[in-house]
Amino acid sequence: MSQSVAIKNALISVYYKDNLEPIIRELNRLGVKIYSTGGTETFIRSLGVDVIAVEDLTSYPSILGGRVKTLHPKVFGGILARRNFEGDQQQLTQYEIPEIDLVIVDLYPFEETVESGAGHADVIEKIDIGGISLIRAAAKNFKDVVIVASKDDYTVLDEILKAQNGSTTIDQRKKFAHKAFNITSNYDTAIFQYFNQEDPLPVFKQSIQASQVLRYGENPHQKGVFYGNLDAMFTKLHGKELSYNNLVDVDAAVALIDEFTEPTVAILKHTNACGIASRSFIKEAWIDALACDPVSAFGGVIIANDEIDAETATEISKIFYEVLIAPAYTDEAVQILQEKKNRIILIRQRVELPSKQFKTLLNGVIEQDKDAIIEGPEQMTTVTNRQPTAQELKDLHFANKVVKHTKSNTIVFAKNHQLMASGVGQTSRVDSLRQAVIKAESFGFDLNGAVMASDAFFPFPDCVELAAEAGILAVLQPGGSINDKLSVEMCNQKNISMVTTGVRHFKH
């Protein structure tokens, strides 16, 4: 196997010409013969460097408005020919095909064109044919050919050319090929996803180029990586990098806070809200959110949907937390918050979030639509004799937003737009209710006049019976149990209200 290959002939045809000039000049210094097309050819000539038009090599012009330029045996033969295979070499000689040792080609900006909102015809024209074929051909023959498929690798190539006098090693060529196949696979996935929006095929394809290696995964013995562009989502003002567990909690916090429009603060631990309140001012929202469970708030993730001012920052700084997220901070608030070490302070940027969720499971992947539905008073049907008051309907709406984002089985108590307690992740719904009652009592909350929301139906009337005994006056559930009638009868017996929504919000 050939280990070191000297570059004698190069094919260069790129969309992006940034930082290409140093490579052109170095190849010229090395005496490399350069073939090119279109705008790249013009660019190379403007540098005063000799270049051969691909049309002169193939004796065929660029046709179909530039759709066909390099798709020719004299181009692909020179790339794919095996240097140590006698039959290939004989055919190169017979058809006067030069060996091409270096291919620098990138792809039309398909993803950028889609993101720009361009029309369908413009998007289709940005599906690269010749470029991706050249990249795949050169990458396949990495034993003898160097492929550079991204402007991000121009500097690396330039350094290699200078350090090794125009030669490359097999390891270097294989690494370039590895990168090239990543680029082509990502490109093809983007095209497929564009076509798969209408009448989608039942296949799973994802390709995310940006990544960040995490300190570890859920536990120190597990490796962890985040795939995506966190810098587009958050501006970090202070603190260390987000951990795997931070990211999981931050994701849950963002999903929860987006349910609210009035000034709201939520505190989360292990993806569940241990405190949340909506008030006229963000400081009041923080104070009442913390009051729900100040013990669990220790080391939590805090998220607000309004600017953090100095007074609020002073109050927040009184406890230890892992992450604080808000859309904005006053300058004085930032100074206050940065006085504490090991606190991650983030400004949230508005970016479009995925509408699908997926995760590995068994020997495959499961995918679903995000739970994007929330039922307000208009979607609530009263099924009891007692009608909920206007305030109770508002609190039921608030509680329903919280219960939607809490681990099943779950029960949520709320009053005056404040979480009073929740029972989380229990194997029976009645255990979740008992847990919520105990937590409310332990932090001094009076449940008289509060409301209750459940993420799923009540299989038996015991839940509403216990809720009524605790002082709950209104209950929300999706309904749908064969025993709904028993729960309704219990509500009527206890003179409390029940509304059904018809929508379950399991969260596992």
mmCIF file of all heavy atoms in Angstrom, residues 139-184:
data_model
loop_
_atom_site.group_PDB
_atom_site.id
_atom_site.type_symbol
_atom_site.label_atom_id
_atom_site.label_comp_id
_atom_site.label_asym_id
_atom_site.label_seq_id
_atom_site.Cartn_x
_atom_site.Cartn_y
_atom_site.Cartn_z
ATOM 1 N N ALA A 139 -12.876 10.354 -1.887
ATOM 2 C CA ALA A 139 -12.826 9.747 -0.552
ATOM 3 C C ALA A 139 -12.721 8.232 -0.642
ATOM 4 O O ALA A 139 -12.004 7.601 0.142
ATOM 5 C CB ALA A 139 -14.058 10.152 0.251
ATOM 6 N N LYS A 140 -13.416 7.641 -1.599
ATOM 7 C CA LYS A 140 -13.324 6.196 -1.792
ATOM 8 C C LYS A 140 -11.901 5.784 -2.121
ATOM 9 O O LYS A 140 -11.406 4.764 -1.624
ATOM 10 C CB LYS A 140 -14.270 5.750 -2.912
ATOM 11 C CG LYS A 140 -14.150 4.264 -3.255
ATOM 12 C CD LYS A 140 -15.120 3.861 -4.346
ATOM 13 C CE LYS A 140 -14.956 2.362 -4.670
ATOM 14 N NZ LYS A 140 -15.938 1.900 -5.665
ATOM 15 N N ASN A 141 -11.216 6.583 -2.916
ATOM 16 C CA ASN A 141 -9.850 6.248 -3.350
ATOM 17 C C ASN A 141 -8.812 6.969 -2.486
ATOM 18 O O ASN A 141 -7.779 7.411 -2.985
ATOM 19 C CB ASN A 141 -9.656 6.613 -4.824
ATOM 20 C CG ASN A 141 -8.527 5.820 -5.451
ATOM 21 O OD1 ASN A 141 -8.155 4.750 -4.986
ATOM 22 N ND2 ASN A 141 -7.962 6.355 -6.526
ATOM 23 N N PHE A 142 -9.094 7.071 -1.178
ATOM 24 C CA PHE A 142 -8.176 7.790 -0.285
ATOM 25 C C PHE A 142 -6.794 7.154 -0.238
ATOM 26 O O PHE A 142 -5.830 7.792 0.199
ATOM 27 C CB PHE A 142 -8.757 7.865 1.128
ATOM 28 C CG PHE A 142 -8.775 6.553 1.863
ATOM 29 C CD1 PHE A 142 -7.675 6.135 2.606
ATOM 30 C CD2 PHE A 142 -9.887 5.733 1.823
ATOM 31 C CE1 PHE A 142 -7.685 4.919 3.289
ATOM 32 C CE2 PHE A 142 -9.909 4.524 2.495
ATOM 33 C CZ PHE A 142 -8.804 4.110 3.233
ATOM 34 N N LYS A 143 -6.671 5.918 -0.676
ATOM 35 C CA LYS A 143 -5.359 5.282 -0.717
ATOM 36 C C LYS A 143 -4.381 6.116 -1.534
ATOM 37 O O LYS A 143 -3.181 6.168 -1.226
ATOM 38 C CB LYS A 143 -5.496 3.881 -1.319
ATOM 39 C CG LYS A 143 -4.190 3.125 -1.424
ATOM 40 C CD LYS A 143 -4.433 1.765 -2.053
ATOM 41 C CE LYS A 143 -3.108 1.056 -2.304
ATOM 42 N NZ LYS A 143 -3.300 -0.258 -2.964
ATOM 43 N N ASP A 144 -4.897 6.796 -2.568
ATOM 44 C CA ASP A 144 -4.019 7.553 -3.465
ATOM 45 C C ASP A 144 -4.408 9.015 -3.624
ATOM 46 O O ASP A 144 -3.650 9.785 -4.212
ATOM 47 C CB ASP A 144 -4.018 6.904 -4.858
ATOM 48 C CG ASP A 144 -3.519 5.478 -4.840
ATOM 49 O OD1 ASP A 144 -2.360 5.282 -4.437
ATOM 50 O OD2 ASP A 144 -4.290 4.568 -5.203
ATOM 51 N N VAL A 145 -5.594 9.416 -3.137
ATOM 52 C CA VAL A 145 -6.113 10.751 -3.429
ATOM 53 C C VAL A 145 -6.451 11.488 -2.128
ATOM 54 O O VAL A 145 -6.995 10.904 -1.191
ATOM 55 C CB VAL A 145 -7.377 10.673 -4.321
ATOM 56 C CG1 VAL A 145 -7.938 12.062 -4.606
ATOM 57 C CG2 VAL A 145 -7.047 9.949 -5.621
ATOM 58 N N VAL A 146 -6.167 12.781 -2.107
ATOM 59 C CA VAL A 146 -6.541 13.650 -0.989
ATOM 60 C C VAL A 146 -7.857 14.331 -1.340
ATOM 61 O O VAL A 146 -7.989 14.906 -2.421
ATOM 62 C CB VAL A 146 -5.476 14.735 -0.732
ATOM 63 C CG1 VAL A 146 -5.873 15.575 0.485
ATOM 64 C CG2 VAL A 146 -4.109 14.117 -0.542
ATOM 65 N N ILE A 147 -8.818 14.291 -0.411
ATOM 66 C CA ILE A 147 -10.073 14.999 -0.624
ATOM 67 C C ILE A 147 -10.258 16.030 0.484
ATOM 68 O O ILE A 147 -10.206 15.704 1.677
ATOM 69 C CB ILE A 147 -11.293 14.031 -0.650
ATOM 70 C CG1 ILE A 147 -12.614 14.828 -0.697
ATOM 71 C CG2 ILE A 147 -11.296 13.075 0.537
ATOM 72 C CD1 ILE A 147 -12.772 15.721 -1.901
ATOM 73 N N VAL A 148 -10.457 17.270 0.100
ATOM 74 C CA VAL A 148 -10.770 18.342 1.044
ATOM 75 C C VAL A 148 -12.146 18.869 0.664
ATOM 76 O O VAL A 148 -12.312 19.483 -0.393
ATOM 77 C CB VAL A 148 -9.713 19.461 1.005
ATOM 78 C CG1 VAL A 148 -10.130 20.616 1.904
ATOM 79 C CG2 VAL A 148 -8.356 18.918 1.430
ATOM 80 N N ALA A 149 -13.131 18.604 1.522
ATOM 81 C CA ALA A 149 -14.530 18.893 1.185
ATOM 82 C C ALA A 149 -15.113 20.046 1.988
ATOM 83 O O ALA A 149 -16.311 20.300 1.911
ATOM 84 C CB ALA A 149 -15.379 17.632 1.401
ATOM 85 N N SER A 150 -14.275 20.745 2.743
ATOM 86 C CA SER A 150 -14.773 21.857 3.551
ATOM 87 C C SER A 150 -13.709 22.933 3.673
ATOM 88 O O SER A 150 -12.518 22.628 3.849
ATOM 89 C CB SER A 150 -15.167 21.362 4.952
ATOM 90 O OG SER A 150 -15.410 22.445 5.821
ATOM 91 N N LYS A 151 -14.139 24.167 3.621
ATOM 92 C CA LYS A 151 -13.204 25.290 3.800
ATOM 93 C C LYS A 151 -12.578 25.282 5.182
ATOM 94 O O LYS A 151 -11.525 25.880 5.404
ATOM 95 C CB LYS A 151 -13.914 26.621 3.546
ATOM 96 C CG LYS A 151 -15.039 26.957 4.503
ATOM 97 C CD LYS A 151 -15.672 28.298 4.136
ATOM 98 C CE LYS A 151 -16.728 28.732 5.147
ATOM 99 N NZ LYS A 151 -17.882 27.812 5.185
ATOM 100 N N ASP A 152 -13.208 24.576 6.118
ATOM 101 C CA ASP A 152 -12.659 24.481 7.470
ATOM 102 C C ASP A 152 -11.329 23.722 7.499
ATOM 103 O O ASP A 152 -10.579 23.821 8.477
ATOM 104 C CB ASP A 152 -13.653 23.782 8.401
ATOM 105 C CG ASP A 152 -14.927 24.592 8.595
ATOM 106 O OD1 ASP A 152 -14.895 25.823 8.385
ATOM 107 O OD2 ASP A 152 -15.959 23.985 8.931
ATOM 108 N N ASP A 153 -11.045 22.958 6.440
ATOM 109 C CA ASP A 153 -9.812 22.178 6.388
ATOM 110 C C ASP A 153 -8.740 22.798 5.499
ATOM 111 O O ASP A 153 -7.691 22.185 5.273
ATOM 112 C CB ASP A 153 -10.105 20.746 5.900
ATOM 113 C CG ASP A 153 -10.783 19.908 6.966
ATOM 114 O OD1 ASP A 153 -10.466 20.116 8.150
ATOM 115 O OD2 ASP A 153 -11.619 19.056 6.613
ATOM 116 N N TYR A 154 -8.988 23.983 4.975
ATOM 117 C CA TYR A 154 -7.996 24.625 4.103
ATOM 118 C C TYR A 154 -6.683 24.867 4.844
ATOM 119 O O TYR A 154 -5.593 24.616 4.303
ATOM 120 C CB TYR A 154 -8.535 25.954 3.570
ATOM 121 C CG TYR A 154 -9.619 25.838 2.517
ATOM 122 C CD1 TYR A 154 -10.264 26.973 2.031
ATOM 123 C CD2 TYR A 154 -10.006 24.602 2.005
ATOM 124 C CE1 TYR A 154 -11.258 26.888 1.065
ATOM 125 C CE2 TYR A 154 -11.003 24.506 1.044
ATOM 126 C CZ TYR A 154 -11.621 25.656 0.578
ATOM 127 O OH TYR A 154 -12.606 25.566 -0.375
ATOM 128 N N THR A 155 -6.778 25.365 6.057
ATOM 129 C CA THR A 155 -5.561 25.662 6.813
ATOM 130 C C THR A 155 -4.772 24.398 7.101
ATOM 131 O O THR A 155 -3.539 24.380 6.994
ATOM 132 C CB THR A 155 -5.916 26.369 8.138
ATOM 133 O OG1 THR A 155 -6.603 27.587 7.848
ATOM 134 C CG2 THR A 155 -4.665 26.677 8.946
ATOM 135 N N VAL A 156 -5.474 23.322 7.453
ATOM 136 C CA VAL A 156 -4.806 22.042 7.724
ATOM 137 C C VAL A 156 -4.071 21.551 6.484
ATOM 138 O O VAL A 156 -2.906 21.138 6.548
ATOM 139 C CB VAL A 156 -5.831 20.982 8.188
ATOM 140 C CG1 VAL A 156 -5.160 19.623 8.362
ATOM 141 C CG2 VAL A 156 -6.493 21.423 9.481
ATOM 142 N N LEU A 157 -4.744 21.617 5.342
ATOM 143 C CA LEU A 157 -4.107 21.182 4.098
ATOM 144 C C LEU A 157 -2.894 22.044 3.778
ATOM 145 O O LEU A 157 -1.831 21.525 3.392
ATOM 146 C CB LEU A 157 -5.110 21.245 2.947
ATOM 147 C CG LEU A 157 -4.531 20.921 1.555
ATOM 148 C CD1 LEU A 157 -4.045 19.470 1.498
ATOM 149 C CD2 LEU A 157 -5.557 21.184 0.461
ATOM 150 N N ASP A 158 -3.017 23.341 3.931
ATOM 151 C CA ASP A 158 -1.908 24.242 3.637
ATOM 152 C C ASP A 158 -0.695 23.911 4.498
ATOM 153 O O ASP A 158 0.453 23.891 4.012
ATOM 154 C CB ASP A 158 -2.352 25.687 3.875
ATOM 155 C CG ASP A 158 -1.328 26.702 3.375
ATOM 156 O OD1 ASP A 158 -0.776 26.497 2.279
ATOM 157 O OD2 ASP A 158 -1.089 27.688 4.086
ATOM 158 N N GLU A 159 -0.921 23.620 5.768
ATOM 159 C CA GLU A 159 0.176 23.273 6.667
ATOM 160 C C GLU A 159 0.841 21.961 6.238
ATOM 161 O O GLU A 159 2.070 21.831 6.288
ATOM 162 C CB GLU A 159 -0.350 23.157 8.099
ATOM 163 C CG GLU A 159 -0.760 24.501 8.700
ATOM 164 C CD GLU A 159 -1.448 24.352 10.043
ATOM 165 O OE1 GLU A 159 -1.732 23.198 10.434
ATOM 166 O OE2 GLU A 159 -1.733 25.381 10.693
ATOM 167 N N ILE A 160 0.036 20.993 5.810
ATOM 168 C CA ILE A 160 0.592 19.714 5.361
ATOM 169 C C ILE A 160 1.433 19.909 4.101
ATOM 170 O O ILE A 160 2.540 19.360 3.976
ATOM 171 C CB ILE A 160 -0.541 18.699 5.109
ATOM 172 C CG1 ILE A 160 -1.179 18.274 6.432
ATOM 173 C CG2 ILE A 160 -0.020 17.476 4.348
ATOM 174 C CD1 ILE A 160 -2.416 17.413 6.266
ATOM 175 N N LEU A 161 0.903 20.670 3.165
ATOM 176 C CA LEU A 161 1.625 20.901 1.911
ATOM 177 C C LEU A 161 2.991 21.535 2.173
ATOM 178 O O LEU A 161 3.999 21.143 1.565
ATOM 179 C CB LEU A 161 0.799 21.806 0.997
ATOM 180 C CG LEU A 161 -0.507 21.222 0.445
ATOM 181 C CD1 LEU A 161 -1.269 22.290 -0.337
ATOM 182 C CD2 LEU A 161 -0.244 20.005 -0.429
ATOM 183 N N LYS A 162 3.029 22.488 3.068
ATOM 184 C CA LYS A 162 4.282 23.184 3.354
ATOM 185 C C LYS A 162 5.242 22.300 4.145
ATOM 186 O O LYS A 162 6.447 22.270 3.874
ATOM 187 C CB LYS A 162 3.993 24.472 4.118
ATOM 188 C CG LYS A 162 3.316 25.533 3.267
ATOM 189 C CD LYS A 162 2.926 26.757 4.091
ATOM 190 C CE LYS A 162 2.276 27.822 3.204
ATOM 191 N NZ LYS A 162 1.784 28.986 3.994
ATOM 192 N N ALA A 163 4.714 21.593 5.133
ATOM 193 C CA ALA A 163 5.578 20.780 5.998
ATOM 194 C C ALA A 163 6.124 19.555 5.293
ATOM 195 O O ALA A 163 7.236 19.098 5.604
ATOM 196 C CB ALA A 163 4.805 20.359 7.250
ATOM 197 N N GLN A 164 5.353 19.014 4.319
ATOM 198 C CA GLN A 164 5.735 17.751 3.687
ATOM 199 C C GLN A 164 6.037 17.912 2.200
ATOM 200 O O GLN A 164 6.057 16.930 1.454
ATOM 201 C CB GLN A 164 4.629 16.702 3.918
ATOM 202 C CG GLN A 164 4.442 16.373 5.400
ATOM 203 C CD GLN A 164 3.182 15.596 5.726
ATOM 204 O OE1 GLN A 164 2.723 15.589 6.861
ATOM 205 N NE2 GLN A 164 2.602 14.925 4.750
ATOM 206 N N ASN A 165 6.243 19.162 1.820
ATOM 207 C CA ASN A 165 6.648 19.455 0.444
ATOM 208 C C ASN A 165 5.703 18.851 -0.598
ATOM 209 O O ASN A 165 6.128 18.272 -1.598
ATOM 210 C CB ASN A 165 8.086 18.966 0.191
ATOM 211 C CG ASN A 165 8.728 19.655 -1.003
ATOM 212 O OD1 ASN A 165 8.451 20.819 -1.288
ATOM 213 N ND2 ASN A 165 9.589 18.933 -1.722
ATOM 214 N N GLY A 166 4.403 18.997 -0.355
ATOM 215 C CA GLY A 166 3.414 18.558 -1.331
ATOM 216 C C GLY A 166 3.051 17.089 -1.283
ATOM 217 O O GLY A 166 2.361 16.597 -2.182
ATOM 218 N N SER A 167 3.474 16.371 -0.257
ATOM 219 C CA SER A 167 3.127 14.951 -0.118
ATOM 220 C C SER A 167 2.184 14.766 1.065
ATOM 221 O O SER A 167 2.129 15.595 1.983
ATOM 222 C CB SER A 167 4.382 14.103 0.091
ATOM 223 O OG SER A 167 5.211 14.132 -1.047
ATOM 224 N N THR A 168 1.439 13.663 1.037
ATOM 225 C CA THR A 168 0.541 13.329 2.143
ATOM 226 C C THR A 168 0.721 11.876 2.533
ATOM 227 O O THR A 168 1.097 11.037 1.705
ATOM 228 C CB THR A 168 -0.935 13.554 1.753
ATOM 229 O OG1 THR A 168 -1.263 12.718 0.630
ATOM 230 C CG2 THR A 168 -1.196 15.010 1.413
ATOM 231 N N THR A 169 0.425 11.568 3.778
ATOM 232 C CA THR A 169 0.506 10.188 4.252
ATOM 233 C C THR A 169 -0.853 9.513 4.140
ATOM 234 O O THR A 169 -1.889 10.183 4.026
ATOM 235 C CB THR A 169 0.960 10.137 5.714
ATOM 236 O OG1 THR A 169 -0.067 10.712 6.535
ATOM 237 C CG2 THR A 169 2.265 10.907 5.910
ATOM 238 N N ILE A 170 -0.851 8.191 4.232
ATOM 239 C CA ILE A 170 -2.100 7.441 4.149
ATOM 240 C C ILE A 170 -3.034 7.805 5.307
ATOM 241 O O ILE A 170 -4.253 7.908 5.135
ATOM 242 C CB ILE A 170 -1.843 5.917 4.121
ATOM 243 C CG1 ILE A 170 -3.142 5.131 3.924
ATOM 244 C CG2 ILE A 170 -1.110 5.475 5.378
ATOM 245 C CD1 ILE A 170 -3.794 5.326 2.595
ATOM 246 N N ASP A 171 -2.475 8.036 6.490
ATOM 247 C CA ASP A 171 -3.305 8.406 7.641
ATOM 248 C C ASP A 171 -3.973 9.766 7.430
ATOM 249 O O ASP A 171 -5.139 9.962 7.798
ATOM 250 C CB ASP A 171 -2.459 8.432 8.914
ATOM 251 C CG ASP A 171 -2.059 7.035 9.373
ATOM 252 O OD1 ASP A 171 -2.718 6.067 8.946
ATOM 253 O OD2 ASP A 171 -1.091 6.922 10.146
ATOM 254 N N GLN A 172 -3.226 10.686 6.847
ATOM 255 C CA GLN A 172 -3.803 12.009 6.576
ATOM 256 C C GLN A 172 -4.915 11.919 5.545
ATOM 257 O O GLN A 172 -5.985 12.524 5.699
ATOM 258 C CB GLN A 172 -2.707 12.967 6.101
ATOM 259 C CG GLN A 172 -1.723 13.361 7.203
ATOM 260 C CD GLN A 172 -0.475 14.028 6.662
ATOM 261 O OE1 GLN A 172 -0.149 13.919 5.469
ATOM 262 N NE2 GLN A 172 0.244 14.724 7.539
ATOM 263 N N ARG A 173 -4.678 11.126 4.511
ATOM 264 C CA ARG A 173 -5.704 10.997 3.459
ATOM 265 C C ARG A 173 -6.953 10.301 3.990
ATOM 266 O O ARG A 173 -8.083 10.661 3.649
ATOM 267 C CB ARG A 173 -5.135 10.251 2.252
ATOM 268 C CG ARG A 173 -3.997 10.991 1.562
ATOM 269 C CD ARG A 173 -3.640 10.382 0.222
ATOM 270 N NE ARG A 173 -3.142 9.018 0.308
ATOM 271 C CZ ARG A 173 -1.878 8.682 0.583
ATOM 272 N NH1 ARG A 173 -0.976 9.627 0.830
ATOM 273 N NH2 ARG A 173 -1.506 7.414 0.632
ATOM 274 N N LYS A 174 -6.741 9.306 4.830
ATOM 275 C CA LYS A 174 -7.893 8.597 5.406
ATOM 276 C C LYS A 174 -8.702 9.518 6.309
ATOM 277 O O LYS A 174 -9.945 9.475 6.329
ATOM 278 C CB LYS A 174 -7.418 7.373 6.190
ATOM 279 C CG LYS A 174 -8.560 6.475 6.660
ATOM 280 C CD LYS A 174 -8.023 5.205 7.299
ATOM 281 C CE LYS A 174 -9.161 4.286 7.707
ATOM 282 N NZ LYS A 174 -8.665 3.026 8.322
ATOM 283 N N LYS A 175 -8.026 10.382 7.059
ATOM 284 C CA LYS A 175 -8.721 11.321 7.929
ATOM 285 C C LYS A 175 -9.538 12.318 7.116
ATOM 286 O O LYS A 175 -10.684 12.630 7.463
ATOM 287 C CB LYS A 175 -7.708 12.061 8.811
ATOM 288 C CG LYS A 175 -8.355 12.927 9.882
ATOM 289 C CD LYS A 175 -7.320 13.491 10.837
ATOM 290 C CE LYS A 175 -7.985 14.306 11.939
ATOM 291 N NZ LYS A 175 -6.976 14.827 12.903
ATOM 292 N N PHE A 176 -8.957 12.817 6.023
ATOM 293 C CA PHE A 176 -9.703 13.718 5.136
ATOM 294 C C PHE A 176 -10.923 12.994 4.554
ATOM 295 O O PHE A 176 -12.002 13.577 4.432
ATOM 296 C CB PHE A 176 -8.810 14.231 4.009
ATOM 297 C CG PHE A 176 -7.932 15.391 4.387
ATOM 298 C CD1 PHE A 176 -6.554 15.330 4.204
ATOM 299 C CD2 PHE A 176 -8.472 16.559 4.908
ATOM 300 C CE1 PHE A 176 -5.737 16.390 4.545
ATOM 301 C CE2 PHE A 176 -7.669 17.641 5.248
ATOM 302 C CZ PHE A 176 -6.291 17.557 5.067
ATOM 303 N N ALA A 177 -10.752 11.722 4.178
ATOM 304 C CA ALA A 177 -11.858 10.943 3.610
ATOM 305 C C ALA A 177 -12.963 10.751 4.640
ATOM 306 O O ALA A 177 -14.165 10.826 4.330
ATOM 307 C CB ALA A 177 -11.357 9.597 3.114
ATOM 308 N N HIS A 178 -12.559 10.483 5.868
ATOM 309 C CA HIS A 178 -13.517 10.313 6.963
ATOM 310 C C HIS A 178 -14.390 11.568 7.105
ATOM 311 O O HIS A 178 -15.623 11.493 7.198
ATOM 312 C CB HIS A 178 -12.727 10.052 8.252
ATOM 313 C CG HIS A 178 -13.573 9.697 9.433
ATOM 314 N ND1 HIS A 178 -13.062 9.523 10.701
ATOM 315 C CD2 HIS A 178 -14.911 9.500 9.557
ATOM 316 C CE1 HIS A 178 -14.036 9.226 11.528
ATOM 317 N NE2 HIS A 178 -15.167 9.213 10.865
ATOM 318 N N LYS A 179 -13.752 12.721 7.100
ATOM 319 C CA LYS A 179 -14.479 13.987 7.187
ATOM 320 C C LYS A 179 -15.389 14.189 5.979
ATOM 321 O O LYS A 179 -16.512 14.687 6.091
ATOM 322 C CB LYS A 179 -13.500 15.154 7.303
ATOM 323 C CG LYS A 179 -12.743 15.215 8.611
ATOM 324 C CD LYS A 179 -11.827 16.437 8.635
ATOM 325 C CE LYS A 179 -11.110 16.576 9.966
ATOM 326 N NZ LYS A 179 -10.241 17.776 9.996
ATOM 327 N N ALA A 180 -14.892 13.800 4.812
ATOM 328 C CA ALA A 180 -15.658 13.988 3.577
ATOM 329 C C ALA A 180 -16.948 13.179 3.590
ATOM 330 O O ALA A 180 -18.009 13.674 3.198
ATOM 331 C CB ALA A 180 -14.803 13.613 2.374
ATOM 332 N N PHE A 181 -16.859 11.930 4.032
ATOM 333 C CA PHE A 181 -18.071 11.105 4.074
ATOM 334 C C PHE A 181 -19.057 11.640 5.117
ATOM 335 O O PHE A 181 -20.277 11.492 4.962
ATOM 336 C CB PHE A 181 -17.725 9.649 4.357
ATOM 337 C CG PHE A 181 -17.217 8.910 3.147
ATOM 338 C CD1 PHE A 181 -15.991 8.261 3.167
ATOM 339 C CD2 PHE A 181 -17.968 8.858 1.983
ATOM 340 C CE1 PHE A 181 -15.521 7.581 2.052
ATOM 341 C CE2 PHE A 181 -17.508 8.181 0.855
ATOM 342 C CZ PHE A 181 -16.286 7.539 0.887
ATOM 343 N N ASN A 182 -18.557 12.244 6.172
ATOM 344 C CA ASN A 182 -19.448 12.900 7.130
ATOM 345 C C ASN A 182 -20.202 14.034 6.455
ATOM 346 O O ASN A 182 -21.418 14.211 6.657
ATOM 347 C CB ASN A 182 -18.642 13.437 8.314
ATOM 348 C CG ASN A 182 -19.506 14.241 9.279
ATOM 349 O OD1 ASN A 182 -20.564 13.801 9.700
ATOM 350 N ND2 ASN A 182 -19.054 15.437 9.613
ATOM 351 N N ILE A 183 -19.504 14.805 5.640
ATOM 352 C CA ILE A 183 -20.132 15.938 4.943
ATOM 353 C C ILE A 183 -21.185 15.447 3.951
ATOM 354 O O ILE A 183 -22.300 15.981 3.891
ATOM 355 C CB ILE A 183 -19.061 16.781 4.242
ATOM 356 C CG1 ILE A 183 -18.242 17.559 5.285
ATOM 357 C CG2 ILE A 183 -19.683 17.746 3.233
ATOM 358 C CD1 ILE A 183 -17.010 18.230 4.741
ATOM 359 N N THR A 184 -20.860 14.427 3.164
ATOM 360 C CA THR A 184 -21.816 13.949 2.163
ATOM 361 C C THR A 184 -23.031 13.296 2.807
ATOM 362 O O THR A 184 -24.156 13.467 2.337
ATOM 363 C CB THR A 184 -21.161 12.967 1.184
ATOM 364 O OG1 THR A 184 -20.630 11.840 1.902
ATOM 365 C CG2 THR A 184 -20.031 13.637 0.410
#
